[in-house]
Amino acid sequence: TAIRDFNVGENLPLMIFANWRGFSGGTRDMYGEVLKFGAQIVDALVDYKQPVFIYIPPEGELRGGSWVVVDPAINPEVMEMYADQDSRGGILEPAGIVEVKFRSKQRVELMHRLDEKLQQLDVQMKTSPAPEQLQQEIHRREEMLQPLYTQVACEFADLHDRAGRMKAVGAIKESLEWHSSREFFYWRLRRSLLEKGLIRDLRAADSAMSQPAAMATVQA
């Protein structure tokens, strides 16, 4: 309701500080009508006519279904997404990505490729008269290394959730720093409002001109 009031009644630009961990879609979220209210936000953003800026603040996270609710693809003509350099964004958190993309079995295979001790034990297993004892030693070594490899895997997955990667894949428009973000959004908003006025004038002068064509003319 507030978003609709800003759009229709007040004609105000909208600034969203996005720091949501998403929702599960389970019984609790259904009972709390989380999906319903998320859909209402999407509907309101689809019809928004003024500039909309989404900013993931420092140490903030935007995950899962929460990203879908504020994705600029909803209304690309007015919506832009930015992220602080110390923020995170993605569908799953690093630990979840590791469990899906780099499971325990794969981590064990990597250990046997990289760890010298395991490589020596693998060689001994081929000629040992007592493979059961060596197998137990291998298992103990794998158990000892598992937390370390899991931590490294989570750190690697976390690198893909940072602002630099989000910008590289086109998920955000720019990576910002908190101390200069206010100034950035001030000037970005002024430019957006001026561009909007010029586009309106161009389309009024040429009724056949589309919104993307008018935008391309203004930005040329």
Side-chain angles (χ1 to χ4, degrees), residues 129-158:
E132 295 82 4
Q133 183 177 355
L134 281 175
Q135 186 62 48
Q136 292 177 2
E137 189 173 349
I138 289 174
H139 181 71
R140 286 194 296 269
R141 182 70 176 176
E142 291 171 351
E143 289 294 319
M144 185 190 72
L145 293 175
Q146 190 69 248
L148 174 62
Y149 276 68
T150 300
Q151 182 180 359
V152 172
C154 287
E155 182 67 23
F156 181 77
D158 181 67

Side-chain angles (χ1 to χ4, degrees), residues 117-125 134 137-138 141:
K117 178 66 174 178
L118 284 175
Q119 291 173 355
Q120 294 172 4
L121 292 172
D122 287 339
V123 172
Q124 295 174 21
M125 275 284 292
L134 281 175
E137 189 173 349
I138 289 174
R141 182 70 176 176

Side-chain angles (χ1 to χ4, degrees), residues 108-123:
V108 169
E109 293 174 354
L110 183 62
M111 294 174 198
H112 284 263
R113 291 202 307 269
L114 300 180
D115 186 69
E116 293 183 0
K117 178 66 174 178
L118 284 175
Q119 291 173 355
Q120 294 172 4
L121 292 172
D122 287 339
V123 172

Side-chain angles (χ1 to χ4, degrees), residues 95-220:
I97 286 288
V98 169
E99 290 303 316
V100 173
K101 294 284 191 178
F102 195 48
R103 300 186 178 186
S104 178
K105 181 181 178 181
Q106 294 168 303
R107 294 196 292 272
V108 169
E109 293 174 354
L110 183 62
M111 294 174 198
H112 284 263
R113 291 202 307 269
L114 300 180
D115 186 69
E116 293 183 0
K117 178 66 174 178
L118 284 175
Q119 291 173 355
Q120 294 172 4
L121 292 172
D122 287 339
V123 172
Q124 295 174 21
M125 275 284 292
K126 297 177 181 178
T127 58
S128 174
E132 295 82 4
Q133 183 177 355
L134 281 175
Q135 186 62 48
Q136 292 177 2
E137 189 173 349
I138 289 174
H139 181 71
R140 286 194 296 269
R141 182 70 176 176
E142 291 171 351
E143 289 294 319
M144 185 190 72
L145 293 175
Q146 190 69 248
L148 174 62
Y149 276 68
T150 300
Q151 182 180 359
V152 172
C154 287
E155 182 67 23
F156 181 77
D158 181 67
L159 293 173
H160 290 74
D161 291 344
R162 301 186 184 183
R165 184 59 182 168
M166 286 190 276
K167 180 181 178 182
V169 300
I172 63 172
K173 190 165 185 178
E174 192 59 67
S175 169
L176 305 178
E177 294 183 354
W178 176 253
H179 67 84
S180 59
S181 60
R182 183 172 182 174
E183 180 182 4
F184 172 86
F185 282 117
Y186 171 78
W187 290 108
R188 185 72 191 104
L189 177 58
R190 288 196 61 177
R191 174 168 178 158
S192 296
L193 293 174
L194 290 172
E195 287 178 346
K196 183 178 177 63
L198 290 173
I199 290 171
R200 183 175 59 250
D201 294 342
L202 283 173
R203 298 190 70 187
D206 183 358
S207 59
M209 180 176 287
S210 65
Q211 173 78 17
M215 176 64 75
T217 301
V218 168
Q219 294 180 346

